[in-house]
Amino acid sequence: MNKQDILKKCSEKDFDGHTDFKKMTPKQKLQWLSNTAYFVYQTKSKNLK
């Protein structure tokens, strides 16, 4: 299953900020930010095509 298929199965509740970012360790925060930035990069590059 690719990322687009996973996104299609997501609901608004999956993006309501329940990651509890404030409680994450510094390492977890960096990983989350890195994954989010990479996702945005991939999504944006596909939308430009």
Side-chain angles (χ1 to χ4, degrees), residues 1-46:
M1 183 179 299
N2 66 35
K3 290 178 184 180
Q4 288 181 333
D5 293 332
I6 294 169
L7 281 175
K8 288 177 185 176
K9 291 184 176 188
C10 293
S11 70
E12 278 189 43
K13 290 181 182 179
D14 295 320
F15 301 95
D16 67 0
H18 68 273
T19 57
D20 227 354
F21 193 79
K22 291 180 183 179
K23 292 183 181 179
M24 290 181 180
T25 66
K27 182 178 178 179
Q28 289 171 321
K29 288 178 182 179
L30 285 172
Q31 288 174 325
W32 186 89
L33 288 168
S34 175
N35 288 334
T36 303
Y38 185 63
F39 168 77
V40 170
Y41 165 78
Q42 285 185 315
T43 304
K44 189 174 182 177
S45 67
K46 287 181 182 180

